[in-house]
Amino acid sequence: MKRIAVMTSGGDSPGMNAAIRAVVRTGLEYGVEVYGIRQGYSGMLAGDFNLLTSVEVSGILQRGGTILQTARNDEFKTPAGQKKGLRRLNEQGIEGLVVIGGDGSLRGALALHKLGLPVIGVPGSIDNDIDGTNTSIGVDSALNTIVESLDRIRDTASSHTRAFVIEVMGRNCGYLAIISSILGGAEIVSTPEREMSMEEIATSLADAYVRGKSHAIAVIAEGVSYETNDLVNFLKQKTDVGFDIRVTILGHLQRGGSPSAFDRLLATRMGVKALESLRAGESGMMVALNDRDMTTIPIEQAIKKTKEINPSYYELARILSR
Ligand code: ADP
Ligand code: F6P
């Protein structure tokens, strides 16, 4: 294998650049040219490919986002779009592909594998929703950002005897919400997997008030069935909650920022493993962290279902919010 391509796709996550760098530098080690595809599958369909040299990936290890940029593309979801993508890759003499992204991007990677192109996926998503790997690139950095935000909010909340509703990301998965609620000392957490009703949230905040707490925090995952602003309006009408209510939607600040030490190491190891797996003749596989080892698992297995949250975390959150 003499020429491969690497791309980032779907939602960006901190550490994607470290993974790109690792793919390119490992390519140099083995005499494999690495082309960067810009803007995910959109760039693939447009034939937007450029050779990545060592210098081009220099100074990006600590940078959030992705130097290759990312995109969402509906055409690539169609069989015709996928064949067009393969044609563009063939035109450039690309013999293998590394796709760094979330479950949607991995589905695209699997489609190309089924068309005969050697493809390796790398899990990159802050949500920690990709199954078969302990974690994905960006999860740790996003958690650190959320926990730091919760700490800051608690400072102002306790100064005013206020309760805050904090919405965190996670379209289908409450991992960021449950873990940040434990690490940020929240009173209650509501996730798509274990949704708390508005009434239950009100009761929990009212309990904290009666117990004499100077603040209370409810962490709400973006993917729950009600709108955060509807919850806030509900809580404001409940006079027995005691606290003055405020809301913060953390939004996309959770996705940006410099990757943590953990994510830099994870992304570096995953990028190296992706190139090595391609060279070893693997395809249709995703790089996965399994305990301490970097392994590969079939993409088909990784995308079959959303990664489940360890149920013990809910118990931990409940006990520690007393
Ligand atoms: P993420 O990779 O973060 O989950 P998306 O779900 O938006 O983000 O997927 C990113 C891109 O991957 C989509 O815009 C599309 O181009 C491609 N993709 C998603 N699902 C499929 C699919 N079932 N088949 C082929 N390509 C897909
Ligand atoms: O997939 C990661 C994620 O951060 C989700 O939690 C969130 O719903 C989504 O991306 C938002 O992405 P965008 O604003 O790019 O559509």
Side-chain angles (χ1 to χ4, degrees):
M1 197 167 271
K2 286 281 161 227
R3 181 179 291 178
I4 67 143
V6 60
M7 60 184 266
T8 49
S9 168
D12 60 296
S13 66
M16 282 184 162
N17 284 326
I20 296 167
R21 173 177 175 270
V23 172
V24 172
R25 295 257 162 103
T26 313
L28 288 170
E29 169 77 10
Y30 295 117
V32 178
E33 283 182 334
V34 179
Y35 278 71
I37 303 175
R38 282 169 47 81
Q39 299 185 338
Y41 294 112
S42 298
M44 182 184 289
L45 295 179
D48 194 351
F49 300 52
N50 284 297
L51 181 65
L52 295 173
T53 63
S54 181
V55 171
E56 261 149 318
V57 295
S58 162
I60 66 168
L61 177 64
Q62 77 291 354
R63 277 171 59 186
T66 159
I67 59 157
L68 291 176
Q69 295 194 289
T70 181
R72 294 202 164 89
N73 184 288
D74 285 334
E75 187 186 353
F76 192 77
K77 289 185 180 171
T78 65
Q82 290 152 17
K83 289 204 181 91
K84 185 169 154 188
L86 184 62
R87 186 185 163 107
R88 295 280 174 266
L89 291 160
N90 287 336
E91 283 164 0
Q92 306 277 340
I94 302 294
E95 300 165 87
L97 176 68
V98 176
V99 176
I100 307 167
D103 63 329
S105 305
L106 293 169
R107 279 174 217 282
L110 184 62
L112 286 170
H113 157 76
K114 287 187 174 162
L115 289 175
L117 181 79
V119 184
I120 297 289
V122 173
S125 164
I126 64 166
D127 291 348
N128 206 13
D129 56 346
I130 303 169
D131 205 21
T133 179
N134 292 0
T135 190
S136 299
I137 295 171
V139 175
D140 183 67
S141 305
L143 260 182
N144 278 295
T145 302
I146 298 168
V147 170
E148 189 191 325
S149 306
L150 287 178
D151 288 348
R152 287 168 191 259
I153 286 166
R154 202 177 327 97
D155 287 346
T156 173
S158 59
S159 303
H160 289 266
T161 321
R162 282 175 174 160
F164 268 78
V165 173
I166 316 282
E167 184 192 292
V168 305
M169 273 186 166
R171 198 172 12 201
N172 309 307
C173 178
Y175 182 84
L176 291 175
I178 183 72
I179 303 298
S180 66
S181 82
I182 296 168
L183 304 182
E187 271 49 50
I188 190 160
V189 54
S190 184
T191 64
E193 297 87 349
R194 285 206 199 180
E195 195 166 299
M196 294 293 145
S197 68
M198 293 191 191
E199 198 64 59
E200 284 170 310
I201 293 167
T203 304
S204 156
L205 299 181
D207 280 356
Y209 185 77
V210 169
R211 278 186 279 133
K213 286 203 164 189
S214 59
H215 62 267
I217 291 175
V219 173
I220 311 298
E222 163 191 24
V224 298
S225 66
Y226 41 83
E227 291 295 324
T228 296
N229 284 331
D230 292 343
L231 169 65
V232 170
N233 290 335
F234 175 83
L235 293 173
K236 281 185 172 170
Q237 283 160 19
K238 285 261 176 191
T239 47
D240 59 338
V241 166
F243 293 108
D244 198 13
I245 307 289
R246 292 289 188 276
V247 58
T248 302
I249 296 175
L250 293 181
H252 288 77
L253 72 80
Q254 298 162 92
R255 280 226 306 242
S258 184
S260 64
F262 180 91
D263 273 329
R264 290 181 201 195
L265 180 61
L266 179 74
T268 299
R269 292 179 72 197
M270 286 186 160
V272 172
K273 183 73 177 179
L275 194 121
E276 286 179 350
S277 304
L278 269 182
R279 284 191 80 233
E282 286 188 46
S283 182
M285 305 294 279
M286 181 189 83
V287 176
L289 179 66
N290 181 0
D291 197 2
R292 291 191 306 179
D293 299 326
M294 209 41 82
T295 56
T296 54
I297 61 160
I299 293 178
E300 213 134 35
Q301 183 188 325
I303 61 175
K304 203 177 286 170
K305 63 174 176 59
T306 301
K307 183 178 170 67
E308 276 171 20
I309 294 171
N310 181 338
S312 71
Y313 285 137
Y314 291 99
E315 187 57 4
L316 217 55
R318 192 189 61 76
I319 294 169
L320 291 165
S321 65
R322 307 230 113 241

